[in-house]
Amino acid sequence: MLKPPLPLGSLLFLQLPLLGVGLTPAVLTPSGNEDITADFFLTSTPPGNLTVSTPPLPEVQCFVFNIEYMNCTWNSSSQPQPTNLTLFYWYKNSDYDKVQECGHYLFSSDITSGCWLQKEEIHLYETFVVRLQDPWQPSRQATKKLKLQDLVIPRAPENLTLRNLSESQLELSWSNRDLDHCLEYLVQYQSDRDHSWTEQLVDHRPSFTLPSVDGQKCYTFRVRSRYNPLCGSSQLWSKWSRPIKWGNHTSNETLLLFALKAVFIPLGSMGLVISLICVYCWLERTMPRIPTLKNLEDLVTEYHGNFSAWSGVSKGLAESLQSDYSERFCHVSEIPPKGGAPGEGPEGSPSSQRSPYWAPPCYTLKPET
Amino acid sequence: MDRIVLCLMVIFSGTVAHKSSLQRPDRFLIRMRQLIDIVDQLNNYVNDLGPEFLPAPEDVKRHCERSAFSCFQKVQLKSANAGDNEKKINVLTKQLMRKLPPTNAGRRQKQRLTCPSCDSYEKKPPKEFLERLKSLIQKMIHQHLS
């Protein structure tokens, strides 16, 4: 049984448009324009193969730290597939124009994400060319030209010192270990009563004068530096220096002392007063007031013998002092003298002396002999 | 007594001379700082400058910085439009063309090997011309301060 012939003609016909799909290679000519970045290159593909678009390479950023070392980094996590990209560098039109691979890679999650270059490999005023490349696809590369003098980040200023030039004039000075003549500075200061910093740009001289200071305030100063404009055009500031304070002792209170004086003492005093008032009210309620004794004449003339009204004892207290029990009257009589029948008295026999109601036994008074 | 007075005068003269040398202004550095300002001001009028390409040295070899700077000075920056900006550009260009004060390094450069001619340098539009000029000035300042 014969096999049907393969449609070769149709296959060839289909491949014709595919040959035109592959883009011509983009040739990078060093035109001298700075910061040229080519994201990716596509090369022409052999017939019969489909073109595969390659993802763009991440952008490389380089910073020179105090002209001591340089870091060139890229975002390795932006890659669709984790790839250990390689970095090459050289200096254009220079004695150091030999292409070199990075000798000290930086890693992020075990993937290359940067390159560390030491001081001897940094040449500021020569065009630095850096190329990031995919080692598995050499055609996938990106090249960038940089002016390293515009990428310097200096160290923060140190040794801030203050001195009085006069009674109200203050001078702040500091030092930079290196690059001092090439730096400009930004000074910020604020008093303890200000809500924001006041700033002043200072040229390469490492000093700043505040013409008038208030002796009652506490001032804080800090400084940062930048490699601009004398020796470079960097827009990157250093970190702030350690702040330095100036002011008298009374205004130099710590936050704790201030909280103690401004908050705790008034609150404590108010609490003490309120508690004393509460104790007084409680005592007034539970313990009776000692009555005030007025003029005795008033007892007779004004109050007509009403002792409680005169003494000022409250009605409730007077009622409370009244007895709430009753006693039987105790009839006391004298024992009749001797001579009479025993038991007889001037008023008859004892049996006849029995009163209508029986009086409880009580004490009797003996007659006098 | 005379000898004592003479010794004191010598010591005093030496002290004054030493102090005066310390206080002598760095004319070269002052001039270079002025040039930085001039270039920054010219950048404000870069859109008014002519479109023609100008020789703009870059990556200048060591000890050829003054030669390269003179190539920048030889260029006649002109305004493409007449008006107030043209006068300001002319003033700034004249300030750019003033001769640099000498330095010890500058004296040594005359004895070095010849530097490339101005025509050998790449030509660039005015914006990049000014950027490369500023970079060269910064390099010269850094070398002077080092």
Side-chain angles (χ1 to χ4, degrees):
Chain A
M1 189 173 164
L2 291 175
K3 288 181 184 178
L6 293 172
L8 291 173
S10 60
L11 281 174
L12 282 171
F13 180 75
L14 281 172
Q15 283 180 7
L16 280 174
L18 291 177
L19 285 172
V21 170
L23 298 175
T24 54
V27 179
L28 181 68
T29 54
S31 61
N33 293 327
E34 58 193 73
D35 295 344
I36 295 171
T37 304
D39 287 336
F40 59 90
F41 291 85
L42 286 178
T43 56
S44 57
T45 56
N49 293 336
L50 288 172
T51 56
V52 179
S53 61
T54 54
L57 287 169
E59 189 179 349
V60 177
Q61 284 190 322
C62 296
F63 297 109
V64 181
F65 293 95
N66 210 50
I67 321 183
E68 292 174 3
Y69 65 92
M70 177 164 62
N71 274 351
C72 291
T73 55
W74 58 90
N75 188 2
S76 57
S77 59
S78 65
Q79 296 293 295
Q81 288 181 356
T83 312
N84 278 324
L85 300 174
T86 53
L87 183 137
F88 297 87
Y89 65 93
W90 64 95
Y91 288 91
K92 187 184 162 196
N93 299 332
S94 164
D95 298 336
Y96 310 99
D97 57 356
K98 182 183 171 186
V99 179
Q100 298 191 64
E101 185 177 353
C102 174
H104 187 126
Y105 280 103
L106 304 172
F107 292 88
S108 174
S109 305
D110 298 327
I111 300 167
T112 55
S113 64
C115 179
W116 180 89
L117 284 86
Q118 61 184 353
K119 187 176 183 176
E120 289 72 25
E121 296 169 297
I122 301 171
H123 307 283
L124 276 190
Y125 298 97
E126 299 176 27
T127 304
F128 180 73
V129 188
V130 61
R131 185 174 73 202
L132 197 62
Q133 194 170 353
D134 184 347
W136 302 106
Q137 287 180 273
S139 58
R140 187 170 168 242
Q141 54 182 258
T143 305
K144 197 169 184 179
K145 292 182 185 177
L146 299 169
K147 289 183 181 176
L148 298 183
Q149 67 268 24
D150 298 341
L151 300 170
V152 175
I153 301 176
R155 232 179 249 282
E158 300 169 331
N159 301 327
L160 268 66
T161 51
L162 284 164
R163 71 183 185 105
N164 282 95
L165 293 177
S166 66
E167 195 175 318
S168 63
Q169 209 172 6
L170 205 61
E171 185 190 59
L172 171 71
S173 58
W174 58 88
S175 66
N176 254 89
R177 239 190 287 172
D178 317 291
L179 320 173
D180 51 348
H181 295 290
C182 289
L183 301 175
E184 65 175 357
Y185 303 98
L186 185 67
V187 177
Q188 280 191 346
Y189 63 92
Q190 68 174 12
S191 73
D192 51 352
R193 299 190 198 158
D194 294 333
H195 299 290
S196 61
W197 292 93
T198 305
E199 58 182 35
Q200 180 70 41
L201 201 61
V202 176
D203 60 10
H204 69 282
R205 284 168 295 185
S207 68
F208 167 73
T209 303
L210 197 54
S212 64
V213 289
D214 188 345
Q216 302 301 317
K217 295 180 183 176
C218 178
Y219 291 87
T220 304
F221 295 86
R222 62 181 185 177
V223 188
R224 62 180 179 178
S225 57
R226 187 166 66 173
Y227 198 74
N228 183 71
L230 290 182
C231 305
S233 300
S234 176
Q235 300 302 309
L236 308 163
W237 288 100
S238 72
K239 289 184 181 176
W240 286 107
S241 66
R242 280 190 186 176
I244 189 171
K245 292 184 183 292
W246 181 90
N248 56 17
H249 291 292
T250 52
S251 60
N252 243 348
E253 297 164 353
T254 62
L255 193 61
L256 185 62
L257 274 175
F258 175 76
L260 189 68
K261 287 191 179 180
V263 178
F264 293 126
I265 291 178
L267 282 179
S269 306
M270 277 174 58
L272 184 64
V273 167
I274 291 170
S275 60
L276 284 174
I277 292 171
C278 291
V279 168
Y280 175 77
C281 292
W282 179 76
L283 286 174
E284 178 75 15
R285 205 180 300 169
T286 54
M287 290 177 61
R289 190 162 55 97
I290 298 171
T292 56
L293 294 179
K294 298 176 187 177
N295 197 351
L296 278 175
E297 287 180 5
D298 293 339
L299 174 62
V300 178
T301 56
E302 197 171 328
Y303 294 92
H304 308 292
N306 188 347
F307 181 80
S308 61
W310 171 79
S311 67
V313 174
S314 62
K315 190 180 178 182
L317 182 60
E319 286 175 358
S320 67
L321 292 175
Q322 288 181 359
S323 62
D324 55 355
Y325 65 92
S326 61
E327 288 182 5
R328 292 174 186 247
F329 285 104
C330 184
H331 184 74
V332 179
S333 62
E334 289 184 358
I335 297 173
K338 291 181 182 177
E344 290 184 355
E347 293 180 8
S349 62
S351 60
S352 64
Q353 286 180 353
R354 200 171 286 172
S355 58
Y357 60 87
W358 178 81
C362 49
Y363 292 100
T364 55
L365 294 172
K366 287 185 180 177
E368 293 179 359
T369 51
Chain B
M1 183 64 183
D2 293 338
R3 288 180 189 178
I4 293 170
V5 170
L6 189 63
C7 287
L8 286 172
M9 283 178 66
V10 168
I11 291 167
F12 176 73
S13 303
T15 309
V16 170
H18 178 65
K19 192 177 178 186
S20 62
S21 68
L22 285 174
Q23 289 180 345
R24 191 166 57 207
D26 190 341
R27 290 175 54 220
F28 179 80
L29 187 60
I30 292 169
R31 177 78 182 121
M32 298 306 279
R33 287 169 67 184
Q34 287 174 350
L35 286 171
I36 294 276
D37 291 336
I38 290 166
V39 171
D40 286 337
Q41 289 181 59
L42 280 170
N43 261 319
N44 294 331
Y45 305 108
V46 69
N47 294 328
D48 296 318
L49 297 173
E52 58 267 13
F53 281 33
L54 310 163
E58 189 183 48
D59 300 318
V60 174
K61 290 186 185 298
R62 192 177 287 187
H63 304 304
C64 286
E65 290 85 7
R66 277 184 177 252
S67 167
F69 182 75
S70 66
C71 293
F72 280 106
Q73 287 181 310
K74 284 175 186 174
V75 170
Q76 292 286 334
L77 284 171
K78 290 177 185 175
S79 173
N81 310 316
D84 291 337
N85 288 349
E86 185 184 10
K87 292 178 186 175
K88 291 174 185 172
I89 290 169
N90 289 340
V91 167
L92 291 169
T93 306
K94 281 182 183 174
Q95 291 178 354
L96 197 63
M97 289 165 62
R98 282 173 55 194
K99 195 177 175 184
L100 285 178
T103 59
N104 292 335
R107 292 192 194 99
R108 277 201 298 271
Q109 283 193 11
K110 291 179 186 175
Q111 301 166 0
R112 288 280 173 176
L113 297 171
T114 53
C115 297
S117 67
C118 297
D119 296 331
S120 65
Y121 291 114
E122 198 175 3
K123 291 188 178 179
K124 285 291 173 184
K127 186 174 184 301
E128 287 182 54
F129 171 88
L130 292 173
E131 287 172 358
R132 291 187 178 193
L133 172 57
K134 189 172 181 180
S135 293
L136 177 64
I137 295 169
Q138 289 169 340
K139 181 181 180 182
M140 293 170 74
I141 292 172
H142 185 259
Q143 286 178 343
H144 179 74
L145 294 172
S146 300

